Amino acid sequence: MDITRRQLGRLAAVGTGALLLPGLLPPGTAAAATPPAGTWGDQGDGTYVNPVIPADLSDWDCIRVGTDYYGITSTFGYSPGMAVLHSKDLVNWRTLGGAVDDVTRIGPELNWDRMNRYGRGVWAGSIRHHAGRYWVYFNTPDEGFFMTSAPSPTGPWEPLHALWRTSGWNDVCPFWDDDGQGYLVTTHYADAYKVHLYKLSADGKSLVGPSTVIHQSRGSEANKLYKIDGVYYHMFSEVKAEGRVLMMNRGSSLTGPFETRQLQHVNASADREPNQGGLVQAPDGTWHFVTHHGQGAWEGRVLSLLPVTWVDGWPVLGSVGADGIGNMVWTGKVPAGGPPGMPVDALPPWWPATCSPTPASSRSGNGTTSRARTGGR
């Protein structure tokens, strides 16, 4: 599946009602700020409209390697598992494949004769680049912790490896420090959402215990670890009165003590709680946050791009409010470094030779990902 600007606009003839995503657009208090119905993604004039992809890309994470961005999204019970996408500008993305060739490696309940993991299976994971390889880790709620790695984001990915068969965990992220030591952060949601930090074995295939609990708050999950200018940052989300919001711990050690700050406000009825994604730095030094948002109902979890402004050593997501906390934005400039937007009809075909070509008027496709200074770069 290739996804680029305007492809849904090409489907207007079959009804734009499904494309309007009204719950994802800002309230009508400022009509001029509300994109026209069906508008999204790359506008072809150097700007974009959120969502950049109005498709279900749940539990997003992404990194940058050189001038390329790579992202992953959970796939639950579907096979191949853990879709991998590529982009040059964080707005246009192209699907490369899946990191999990056979989801039955997770367990027999995912086999075709049972298919007993609807909404479960491959949950949120993280992608990192370390020691010349790409690493993907994720949890399933019932089977435990899994990982795979590859020399290229296109593969071949190693057969899925189980680090620990257990249940009740989610939202895992690996991190390699400057000395090469690997770590894994994850939430034990079955135990009051305590966030644990484990050491990884040298090959990245085992957890070295015991773990250290580094955080706990209401619904704390969506974990990411970064090291930026010598400071450790633990990004996570938690539930407040306004909804699920992005938070961050920072400190001189991975285990704390930490300062904690909220990074963004949400308006749950309008922006559907952007909260899980990847913090990345573009080649020109600018920072961005690519996030899913949506509450898992009719709209799934679409993908949006937010600018990042560093204020007193904190990455503020979106537009900086009077209180110093970010707010959702719906438009912006396409990050520098990518190719100019192409009309959908100009894109090369992507389908396998065994498939019937899609009419030019309905083709789609192209991609991005990013990285800040994440562990393992």
Side-chain angles (χ1 to χ4, degrees):
M1 176 181 70
D2 291 352
I3 304 174
T4 52
R5 66 187 182 91
R6 299 178 183 162
Q7 77 258 41
L8 292 191
R10 300 278 184 172
L11 302 180
V14 298
T16 58
L19 312 179
L20 303 186
L21 303 173
L24 297 170
L25 297 178
T29 54
T34 303
T39 300
W40 62 275
D42 190 339
Q43 300 301 291
D45 60 0
T47 67
Y48 68 88
V49 171
N50 280 325
V52 293
I53 304 178
D56 193 357
L57 293 172
S58 183
D59 305 323
W60 182 259
D61 186 38
C62 59
I63 57 172
R64 177 173 67 86
V65 181
T67 60
D68 295 278
Y69 299 94
Y70 301 101
I72 59 170
T73 174
S74 59
T75 48
F76 304 102
Y78 296 97
S79 186
M82 189 60 78
V84 182
L85 294 88
H86 169 256
S87 175
K88 281 285 188 180
D89 59 11
L90 295 174
V91 173
N92 298 291
W93 292 85
R94 170 165 293 175
T95 304
L96 298 179
V100 182
D101 63 341
D102 183 355
V103 295
T104 63
R105 298 183 193 275
I106 294 171
E109 294 302 311
L110 284 89
N111 197 34
W112 66 270
D113 60 348
R114 300 187 191 183
M115 300 176 68
N116 191 29
R117 284 295 181 262
Y118 178 77
R120 302 179 83 77
V122 179
W123 274 17
S126 294
I127 182 171
R128 292 294 182 264
H129 184 254
H130 166 68
R133 295 182 68 83
Y134 294 82
W135 305 74
V136 167
Y137 288 74
F138 66 90
N139 309 91
T140 76
D142 303 295
E143 290 86 9
F145 294 72
F146 297 87
M147 61 79 61
T148 181
S149 70
S152 165
T154 59
W157 292 91
E158 291 185 338
L160 197 63
H161 172 76
L163 289 82
W164 180 24
R165 289 197 173 272
T166 184
S167 62
W169 299 75
N170 71 345
D171 294 8
V172 62
C173 179
F175 173 87
W176 284 269
D177 211 340
D178 298 334
D179 62 1
Q181 176 61 60
Y183 298 87
L184 201 71
V185 64
T186 182
T187 291
H188 194 185
Y189 70 84
D191 184 21
Y193 285 85
K194 293 175 183 174
V195 179
H196 291 246
L197 183 72
Y198 286 92
K199 283 188 175 182
L200 284 172
S201 59
D203 63 2
K205 294 184 176 182
S206 300
L207 301 179
V208 180
S211 65
T212 301
V213 175
I214 62 170
H215 184 81
Q216 182 185 19
S217 56
R218 184 184 175 195
S220 49
E221 56 182 16
N223 303 290
K224 299 293 186 296
L225 289 176
Y226 304 94
K227 189 176 186 180
I228 304 169
D229 295 333
V231 178
Y232 296 96
Y233 291 86
H234 168 220
M235 178 181 281
F236 62 96
S237 71
E238 67 178 43
V239 178
K240 291 184 176 292
E242 62 188 281
R244 180 167 285 281
V245 301
L246 260 297
M247 303 289 295
M248 182 162 273
N249 292 325
R250 74 175 186 187
S252 59
S253 167
L254 277 172
T255 56
F258 296 117
E259 302 173 83
T260 304
R261 178 167 174 169
Q262 183 174 339
L263 301 183
Q264 185 185 12
H265 286 302
V266 298
N267 180 339
S269 64
D271 58 39
R272 314 295 278 179
E273 302 176 343
N275 68 83
Q276 182 142 228
L279 181 67
V280 295
Q281 186 180 25
D284 65 358
T286 58
W287 289 77
H288 309 272
F289 184 64
V290 188
T291 178
H292 83 196
H293 50 127
Q295 297 168 325
W298 62 270
E299 80 275 36
R301 289 171 174 166
V302 299
L303 201 66
S304 282
L305 173 64
L306 305 181
V308 174
T309 303
W310 285 87
V311 179
D312 298 328
W314 296 98
V316 181
L317 311 179
S319 61
V320 182
D323 59 359
I325 299 175
N327 296 278
M328 180 65 187
V329 298
W330 294 96
T331 63
K333 292 183 178 180
V334 177
M342 294 187 296
V344 172
D345 291 350
L347 294 171
W350 62 268
W351 52 83
T354 55
C355 296
S356 299
T358 302
S361 61
S362 63
R363 293 179 196 164
S364 56
N366 112 3
T368 292
T369 166
S370 70
R371 97 168 165 77
R373 251 195 88 209
T374 58
R377 289 278 187 252

